[in-house]
Every structure is written in structure tokens, then in C-alpha cells.
Amino acid sequence: MDAGSNLKYLADNLITSPGCDRRLLNLSQPEATPFRQRDIILASTCDIKNKFQAERKHPTVHILIFSIQGNARLFTQEHLRKGVLIEPGQVAILPAHHFHCYKTQASRWKAIWFYLADTETWHQVKESKPHVRRSVVFSELCAA
């Protein structure tokens, strides 16, 4: 799936403040071949200042969000009322076809996003529900 071919996966509802600095990794470059070979269709860093909210009712891709600084709150079918906090060093794992919404909780949130194609490559994500857990690759990812 080409990131430009179907932008529906970005969000059903998106609220962002003007101070948001999003930097996309150019996956069309030859150096990004390992990403493409693993069905990663979008990767970016984001430095959000003030307000941000993204809601996806029936996303067509899997999303991994690695929280670096600040925090956000994840709302899912299982956690609609209070949500679950996404803190630095944690990863939010958001499988395709599962409702989720996340909102900033702090005045600043830095994170790294990966959008993964809904393919057999990512079967372990596909077989889970949206959740937050401690990232085992956080240090290596930040260093890269």
C-alpha cells in the first residue's frame, strides 16, 4: 500500500494545534528499502505542542506510537470512559479494524509513529487488541 494512495487511515477526526512539528521519513528513498520490505507504509516523528487528538473508527492499518516525552491518553472500546495513559518509554499498539482515540494530556508530547500495512508480516499486531505497554526497543529506537 502506498501512503499516498489512500489517506483514510490518517484519522476520521483529527484536531491539532499549529505548533505541531511532524517529520515524515521519506520511505521512497533507496535507504528506506528495509522499511518497505517489512510493510511499513509511514513513519514519522512528532513534536506536539498544546492540543492533539486523533480518532479512528475502523482503521485500515496498524499503528505503533512510541512515546518519548510528555503523555497522551488512549481510549478504546474497553477503556472508553477514562482511557489509558501513554507515558514516555511506552508503546501504544493499535491494530487495524479496532476503534481508538488518543489525546494529549500534557502541553507537549513527543512521539514516533509507524503505520504498518494490514498484512501477514504484522500478524502478531493483527491478533491483538489496542493496548499500551512498556517498549523493549525504546532506547534503540530513540538512538536511531
Side-chain angles (χ1 to χ4, degrees):
M1 173 193 284
D2 177 1
S5 66
N6 180 4
L7 297 180
K8 176 66 177 160
Y9 60 78
L10 290 179
D12 293 301
N13 294 305
L14 182 65
I15 299 170
T16 184
S17 64
C20 180
D21 180 22
R22 186 172 183 161
R23 296 179 185 211
L24 296 174
L25 179 63
N26 186 345
L27 296 181
S28 66
Q29 296 296 317
E31 297 84 5
T33 299
F35 286 90
R36 292 191 308 274
Q37 290 173 336
R38 288 166 182 81
D39 295 331
I40 297 172
I41 56 176
L42 183 70
S44 76
T45 61
C46 204
D47 185 356
I48 298 167
K49 296 174 184 83
N50 300 316
K51 188 171 185 148
F52 182 88
Q53 177 180 327
E55 178 183 349
R56 296 176 186 88
K57 295 176 183 172
H58 192 75
T60 57
V61 296
H62 309 301
I63 302 170
L64 303 179
I65 305 171
F66 292 85
S67 184
I68 299 171
Q69 179 183 346
N71 53 52
R73 189 162 294 277
L74 173 66
F75 298 88
T76 65
Q77 290 291 36
E78 289 78 19
H79 301 282
L80 277 176
R81 292 183 58 179
K82 293 184 180 180
V84 177
L85 199 59
I86 308 169
E87 298 182 280
Q90 294 184 321
V91 58
I93 301 171
L94 309 172
H97 315 294
H98 288 272
F99 163 83
H100 64 264
C101 175
Y102 48 91
K103 304 174 183 182
T104 51
Q105 291 291 123
S107 61
R108 189 169 195 184
W109 187 36
K110 287 185 175 183
I112 300 171
W113 272 262
F114 292 96
Y115 289 65
L116 315 172
D118 185 13
T119 63
E120 189 56 32
T121 301
W122 299 104
H123 67 89
Q124 69 275 28
V125 175
K126 185 177 194 161
E127 295 167 2
S128 68
K129 291 186 177 183
H131 65 284
V132 176
R133 69 178 191 202
R134 175 102 359 236
S135 170
V136 295
V137 297
F138 181 75
S139 298
E140 292 86 354
L141 186 61
C142 287

